[in-house]
């Protein structure tokens, strides 16, 4: 394959292609003043790659160089056009003000316990980052760590935290500007003073303490080229002994001979076993263990292949409790004898059921969370696998955080739905009952809204669930502004979850619809695989069918429909708007994987090959990827929906070059009346840890762009 990089001249300043865009078609009832748009000229090169004997032009290859001056100038030029457009939307500021008002309430997380202290995260309303607090014996609370003081603009965030078992030491990782690269610091919890220990540039890492001796972490070697986009394939596990420098850290797992793309570890709660997971893709992993109770013990394999997913839950008297989908696509819990770990000797504790299962533990019990059509159900088991009870939940929604230490007799968990703000409940293991612990108070009335599930039929006859949320008493007149949100990949389940931003959409008469399309994990590994590689089109078909259902049933029409998704969901939106440009009025692809021929050439993107396949593996796969790759599948002279591509300059998960190249190609191909723009956030990454202020600004821009191009006014909330 040809991989030559062609250097291009800098983007010409003030070189604009004058193209007036009318933002509204005559079919909409409401008419706003057209906003003229002048797209920057994006220089094109004659760069060509060779795939399986076929030449493929890549005229915007130069936009992959995130450090180049011409790329920076292109970003500035595109942002100027986009924000000039957004500035002219008359109700944009009203949306931002309403978002800020509804966002401004106290948010408190579930408590967790170390030493004599109770810890919890709290945000007083509009703080850019939540603050870690603590209190002792229900006494006065105090700030333990405030991430807002780590940067002036709130762009530095906490990503991982870990206490020693006795709570005397605390390690935490921070991300700067949303990057996946992390720095780790260590604090004495009593005095709240930092120790001299510091780890620079860890990535895709947890923090696992071995007693108080030190901790394990994972990282890659510094890549050649851009730190934000160069390949990072050789992941390694290190041990840092307290009081030493990072240069003295011991390599525990990973080497040049047998590199692994993703390496992680955990020390079991009893401190006796180090468990190492090694993987080369986002599905399937090997398992290794080291006996920490015996000096000089070595690492030995427990599962020596990556054919299935395996997650260690606990260690007990020489046995590992492991959740696995080996021979059980919906997962099962097994016991593995560390002295005889052969799969044929595994003992099933909790067998596979019809619903996909995730297991947690707490208070000496096991808790299996089942997804029944994306809704949480929980059953309690003892350590021998005997079912003891089914736990009554506050309603139909999503439970998270249902775990605790073995010594605790209570579990604090969060319950939420599309209309129920996340509330904290305390579950008494002894009593078998839940009690409301903390409920947020915000300017939103759940009783005024409804959220119901429907099942629709996809192109090949598959039944797909979708949850639709809106105001009660909604008229099915085809004129309701609707956001159809999807993901469909990587075994990730979209379960009901409250969104502060969506309250503003809903109270303005909007509909929010989420289908559980194939590629996700809502129905186990079979559902996931049905949306991967040469079956990826099922994902797009399921999403298109969801939009068609909403239109057919009168919830909305093409003039009032927006399709939205991020990351893999950004790919979903990009592919859908190209295959069905008539389906929706607005397209909102965020941080999307848009170049399917080259995604595996950036950072750890090669790890996504289980879901996507790569253009290198076969001619069949190459042609399949190219057929739906948003950068390559755009058709010249087509009228596409009003499109607002969103990305960020520090996204080193899905590098912004994906969105850059797609936006440039879209602006060239598009011949319709609606605007196609790109909004590029600065000092932000893939999404995690983004400051509240930036989140509100971005959501205001997305809603303003969407409503304006639907011809729908923003009325705010009636007082």
């Amino acid at each position: 394959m040809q991989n030559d990089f062609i250097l291009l001249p800098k983007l010409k300043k003030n070189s604009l292609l004058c193209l007036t865009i009318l933002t509204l078609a005559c079919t909409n009832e409401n008419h706003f003043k057209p906003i003229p748009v002048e797209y920057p000229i994006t220089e094109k090169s004659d760069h060509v790659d060779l795939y399986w004997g076929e030449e493929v032009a890549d005229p915007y290859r130069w936009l992959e160089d995130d450090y180049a001056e011409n790329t920076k100038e292109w970003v500035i030029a595109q942002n100027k056009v986009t924000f000039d457009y957004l500035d002219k939307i008359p109700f944009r500021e009203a949306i931002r003000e309403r978002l800020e008002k509804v966002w401004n309430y106290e948010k408190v997380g579930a408590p967790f316990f170390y030493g004599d202290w109770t810890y919890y995260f709290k945000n007083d309303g509009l703080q850019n980052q939540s603050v870690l607090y603590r209190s002792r014996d229900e006494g006065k609370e105090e700030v333990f760590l405030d991430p807002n003081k780590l940067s002036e603009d709130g762009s530095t965030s906490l990503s991982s935290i870990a206490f020693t078992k006795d709570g005397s030491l605390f390690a935490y990782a921070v991300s700067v500007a949303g990057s996946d690269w992390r720095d780790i610091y260590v604090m004495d919890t009593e005095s709240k003073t930092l120790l001299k220990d510091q780890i620079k540039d860890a990535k895709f890492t947890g923090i696992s303490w071995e007693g108080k001796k030190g901790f394990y972490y994972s990282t890659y070697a510094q890549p050649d080229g851009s730190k934000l986009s160069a390949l990072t394939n050789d992941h390694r596990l290190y041990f840092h002994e307290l009081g030493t420098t990072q240069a003295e850290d011991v390599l525990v797992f990973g080497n040049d001979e047998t590199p692994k793309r993703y390496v992680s570890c955990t020390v079991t709660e009893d401190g006796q076993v180090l468990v190492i997971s090694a993987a080369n893709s986002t599905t399937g992993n090997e398992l290794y263990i080291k006996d920490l109770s015996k000096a000089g013990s070595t690492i030995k394999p427990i599962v020596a292949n990556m054919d299935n997913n395996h997650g260690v839950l606990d260690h007990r008297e020489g046995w590992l409790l492991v959740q696995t989908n080996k021979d059980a696509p919906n997962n099962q819990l097994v016991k593995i004898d560390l002295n005889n770990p052969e799969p044929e000797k595994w003992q099933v504790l909790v067998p596979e059921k019809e619903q996909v299962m995730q297991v947690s533990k707490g208070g000496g019990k096991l808790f299996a969370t089942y997804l029944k059509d994306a809704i949480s159900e929980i059953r309690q088991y003892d350590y021998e696998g005997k079912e003891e009870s089914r736990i009554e939940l506050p309603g139909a929604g999503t439970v998270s955080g249902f775990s605790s230490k073995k010594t605790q007799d209570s579990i604090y968990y969060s319950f939420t739905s599309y209309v129920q703000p996340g509330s904290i409940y305390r579950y008494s293991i002894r009593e078998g009952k839940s009690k409301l612990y903390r409920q947020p108070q915000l300017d939103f009335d759940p009783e005024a809204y409804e959220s119901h599930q429907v099942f629709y039929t996809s192109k090949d006859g598959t039944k797909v669930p979708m949850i639709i949320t809106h105001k009660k008493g909604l008229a099915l007149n085809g004129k309701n502004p609707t956001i159809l949100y999807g993901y469909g990949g990587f075994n990730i389940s979209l379960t009901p979850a409250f969104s502060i931003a969506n309250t503003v959409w809903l109270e303005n008469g909007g509909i929010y619809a989420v289908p559980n399309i194939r590629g996700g994990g809502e129905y186990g590994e079979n559902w996931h695989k049905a949306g991967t590689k040469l079956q990826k089109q099922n994902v797009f078909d399921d999403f298109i069918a969801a939009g068609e259902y909403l239109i057919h049933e009168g919830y909305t029409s093409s003039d009032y429909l927006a399709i939205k998704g991020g990351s893999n969901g950004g790919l979903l939106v990009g592919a859908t708007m190209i295959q069905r440009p008539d389906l929706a009025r607005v397209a909102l692809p965020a941080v999307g994987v848009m170049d399917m021929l080259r995604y595996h050439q950036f950072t750890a993107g090669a790890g996504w090959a289980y879901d996507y396949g790569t253009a290198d593996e076969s001619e069949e796969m190459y042609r399949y990827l190219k057929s739906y790759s948003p950068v390559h599948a755009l058709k010249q002279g087509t009228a596409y929906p009003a499109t607002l591509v969103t990305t960020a300059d520090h996204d080193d998960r899905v590098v912004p070059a994906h969105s850059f190249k797609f936006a440039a190609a879209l602006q060239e191909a598009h011949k319709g009346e609606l605007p196609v723009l790109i909004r590029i956030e600065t000092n932000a990454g893939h999404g995690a840890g983004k400051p509240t202020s930036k989140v509100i600004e971005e959501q205001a821009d997305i809603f303003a762009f969407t409503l304006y191009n639907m011809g729908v006014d923003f009325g705010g909330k009636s007082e």
Side-chain angles (χ1 to χ4, degrees):
M1 183 186 301
Q2 183 178 340
N3 287 309
D4 297 335
F5 181 78
I6 298 177
L7 295 175
L8 299 177
K10 293 182 180 179
L11 183 70
K12 297 176 183 177
K13 294 182 179 179
N14 302 319
S15 178
L16 300 174
L17 174 64
C18 294
L19 180 62
T20 300
I21 306 297
L22 301 178
T23 59
L24 300 172
C26 296
T27 54
N28 287 32
E29 292 181 358
N30 296 326
H31 297 273
F32 296 122
K33 183 179 179 181
I35 299 175
V37 175
E38 298 177 332
Y39 297 137
I41 290 176
T42 303
E43 301 284 356
K44 297 176 68 175
S45 78
D46 58 358
H47 186 95
V48 173
D49 288 317
L50 191 65
Y51 294 91
W52 302 95
E54 181 175 71
E55 290 187 343
V56 178
D58 194 357
Y60 305 117
R61 175 69 63 87
W62 62 277
L63 286 170
E64 293 179 3
D65 188 350
D66 48 355
Y67 286 169
E69 284 302 316
N70 51 353
T71 302
K72 294 177 182 178
E73 291 181 5
W74 183 88
V75 168
I76 292 170
Q78 290 286 347
N79 265 347
K80 184 179 187 308
V81 170
T82 297
F83 286 104
D84 282 351
Y85 179 94
L86 294 170
D87 285 343
K88 293 180 176 66
I89 297 177
F91 47 74
R92 176 193 181 203
E93 180 60 19
I95 294 177
R96 191 200 64 78
E97 289 177 355
R98 179 58 189 155
L99 281 167
E100 187 173 271
K101 183 176 180 181
V102 74
W103 220 288
N104 193 13
Y105 68 94
E106 186 178 74
K107 309 162 191 71
V108 183
F112 48 99
F113 309 92
Y114 286 95
D116 297 329
W117 294 95
T118 299
Y119 292 86
Y120 48 93
F121 282 96
K122 182 170 71 172
N123 191 306
D124 63 16
L126 295 175
Q127 288 176 291
N128 278 318
Q129 305 292 339
S130 294
V131 179
L132 182 56
Y133 285 84
R134 69 178 182 180
S135 62
R136 182 153 44 191
D137 298 327
E138 299 184 358
K140 183 179 179 181
E141 70 176 16
E142 63 178 46
V143 173
F144 182 65
L145 179 62
D146 185 355
N148 297 289
K149 295 182 178 180
L150 301 178
S151 61
E152 291 185 2
D153 62 355
S155 61
T156 298
S157 61
L158 282 180
S159 59
S160 301
I161 65 172
F163 289 86
T164 54
K165 190 172 183 178
D166 66 359
S168 63
L169 295 171
F170 171 69
Y172 62 96
V174 300
S175 166
V176 177
S179 171
D180 281 331
W181 292 98
R182 314 286 199 235
D183 294 338
I184 300 174
Y185 302 89
V186 182
M187 180 189 296
D188 174 271
T189 59
E190 189 61 33
S191 63
K192 294 192 288 188
T193 57
L194 286 176
L195 306 186
K196 67 178 183 179
D197 302 79
Q198 183 178 348
I199 305 300
K200 300 289 291 183
D201 290 328
K203 187 174 183 180
F204 295 158
T205 186
I207 304 171
S208 296
W209 285 95
E210 183 181 336
K212 296 168 65 174
K213 178 182 176 183
F215 57 85
Y216 298 88
Y217 68 94
S218 304
T219 192
Y220 301 92
Q222 288 295 295
D224 296 330
S226 169
K227 185 178 176 181
L228 295 177
S229 60
L231 282 171
T232 48
N233 279 336
D234 187 3
H235 210 203
R236 301 187 179 193
L237 181 68
Y238 289 87
F239 180 75
H240 175 77
E241 185 174 348
L242 286 187
T244 65
T245 65
Q246 184 174 0
E248 300 172 85
D249 290 352
V250 176
L251 176 64
V252 177
F253 187 91
N255 54 56
D256 293 330
E257 288 72 33
T258 56
K260 309 293 183 184
R261 191 167 289 117
Y262 306 115
V263 177
S264 61
C265 82
T266 185
V267 175
T268 55
E269 188 175 345
D270 59 13
Q272 293 185 9
V273 180
L274 171 68
V275 179
I276 301 170
S277 171
N280 284 329
S281 72
T282 51
T283 296
N285 65 296
E286 301 170 339
L287 280 182
Y288 301 82
I289 61 112
K290 180 181 179 181
D291 188 344
L292 298 178
S293 67
K294 298 178 182 178
S297 63
T298 59
I299 295 172
K300 66 177 185 178
I302 296 297
V303 178
N305 63 74
M306 301 180 187
D307 297 338
N308 300 99
N309 296 327
H310 313 279
V312 173
L313 185 68
D314 203 0
H315 169 257
R316 194 178 193 188
E317 299 175 350
W319 293 80
L320 284 183
L321 272 64
V322 179
Q323 178 180 295
T324 178
N325 64 359
K326 177 177 168 55
D327 303 322
N330 292 341
N331 296 329
Q332 61 182 347
L333 186 69
V334 301
K335 285 174 62 176
I336 300 178
D337 185 348
L338 295 183
N339 295 316
N340 297 283
E342 297 81 8
E344 59 271 17
K345 296 181 180 178
W346 294 1
Q347 298 181 21
V348 176
L349 276 184
V350 181
E352 178 188 32
K353 289 184 171 57
E354 183 180 355
Q355 295 83 27
V356 66
M357 172 185 73
Q358 295 291 326
V359 186
S360 58
K361 64 181 177 65
K365 302 294 182 180
L366 303 173
F367 299 93
T369 300
Y370 295 93
L371 282 187
K372 185 175 182 180
D373 300 324
I375 305 298
S376 294
E377 295 182 351
I378 299 182
R379 303 182 189 184
Q380 179 177 310
Y381 295 84
D382 66 16
Y383 262 64
E384 299 306 315
K386 178 184 177 182
E387 183 176 334
E388 295 182 331
S389 64
R390 299 192 182 192
I391 296 171
E392 184 177 350
L393 297 177
T398 301
V399 169
S400 60
F402 209 97
S403 64
S404 70
K405 299 177 184 178
K406 290 180 181 179
T407 54
Q408 291 178 216
D409 58 6
S410 296
I411 291 176
Y412 294 83
Y413 66 91
S414 175
F415 176 83
T416 184
S417 72
Y418 289 117
V419 296
Q420 177 64 49
S423 300
I424 307 299
Y425 289 81
R426 178 183 179 273
Y427 174 73
S428 169
I429 297 174
R430 181 177 58 83
E431 297 175 356
K433 295 181 180 179
S434 294
K435 183 178 181 181
L436 182 64
Y437 175 75
R438 191 181 293 272
Q439 188 172 41
Q441 302 297 317
L442 69 159
D443 188 13
F444 177 77
D445 179 15
E447 296 302 317
Y449 301 86
E450 64 178 89
S451 196
H452 61 278
Q453 189 173 62
V454 300
F455 289 82
Y456 64 91
T457 303
S458 190
K459 183 177 181 179
D460 64 356
T462 299
K463 293 292 184 181
V464 182
M466 175 165 57
I467 296 180
I468 306 171
T469 305
H470 52 75
K471 277 184 178 178
K472 291 180 178 177
L474 180 83
L476 299 181
N477 57 14
K479 297 180 180 180
N480 302 298
T482 300
I483 291 177
L484 177 65
Y485 180 86
Y487 188 79
F490 297 94
N491 203 30
I492 292 173
S493 301
L494 292 187
T495 59
F498 186 76
S499 163
I500 304 172
N502 281 348
T503 64
V504 176
W505 180 261
L506 294 171
E507 70 187 17
N508 200 60
I511 296 173
Y512 188 71
V514 181
N516 297 111
I517 58 183
R518 281 173 283 186
E522 292 87 351
Y523 295 103
E525 186 60 14
N526 291 337
W527 192 253
H528 171 214
K529 287 182 177 179
T532 62
K533 293 186 177 176
L534 296 174
Q535 299 186 91
K536 186 66 175 177
Q537 185 60 40
N538 287 334
V539 181
F540 312 139
D541 289 342
D542 289 357
F543 197 57
I544 290 168
E548 291 174 335
Y549 175 90
L550 292 169
I551 293 169
H552 181 268
E553 296 299 316
Y555 287 96
T556 191
S557 63
S558 293
D559 285 334
Y560 298 96
L561 178 63
I563 52 176
K564 184 180 182 185
S567 195
N568 175 73
L571 163 63
L572 171 67
V573 172
T576 298
M577 64 181 279
I578 292 170
Q579 295 182 14
R580 285 291 306 277
D582 61 318
L583 180 67
R585 181 76 171 183
V586 178
L588 302 167
V591 294
V593 186
M594 299 304 204
D595 187 339
M596 298 308 297
L597 301 186
R598 286 182 53 76
Y599 76 86
H600 58 297
Q601 301 293 327
F602 306 106
T603 62
W608 311 336
Y610 183 93
D611 264 53
Y612 296 147
T614 71
D616 304 330
E617 67 184 71
S618 71
E619 182 176 358
E620 181 185 25
M621 185 62 71
Y622 152 66
R623 296 194 180 282
Y624 191 83
L625 289 168
K626 184 170 178 282
S627 71
Y628 73 78
S629 174
V631 166
H632 302 91
L634 286 162
K635 299 176 180 64
Q636 294 295 322
T638 301
Y640 288 106
T643 304
L644 183 61
V645 180
T646 53
T647 188
D649 64 350
H650 278 67
D651 188 346
D652 47 7
R653 187 82 56 84
V654 179
V655 296
H658 282 281
S659 294
F660 293 176
K661 293 168 72 173
F662 177 67
L666 177 61
Q667 287 176 353
E668 180 190 20
H670 177 58
K671 300 303 179 187
E673 297 179 324
L674 299 170
V676 289
L677 305 172
I678 182 169
R679 184 189 189 278
I680 305 155
E681 189 68 79
T682 57
N683 288 325
H686 198 58
K690 184 179 290 188
T692 297
S693 57
K694 289 183 181 291
V695 173
I696 290 174
E697 290 169 0
E698 183 179 58
Q699 289 295 331
D701 289 348
I702 289 171
F703 287 162
F705 179 88
T706 301
L707 291 172
Y708 197 84
N709 283 285
M710 289 177 174
V712 177
D713 202 357
F714 177 75
K717 184 181 180 183
S718 300
E719 299 295 339

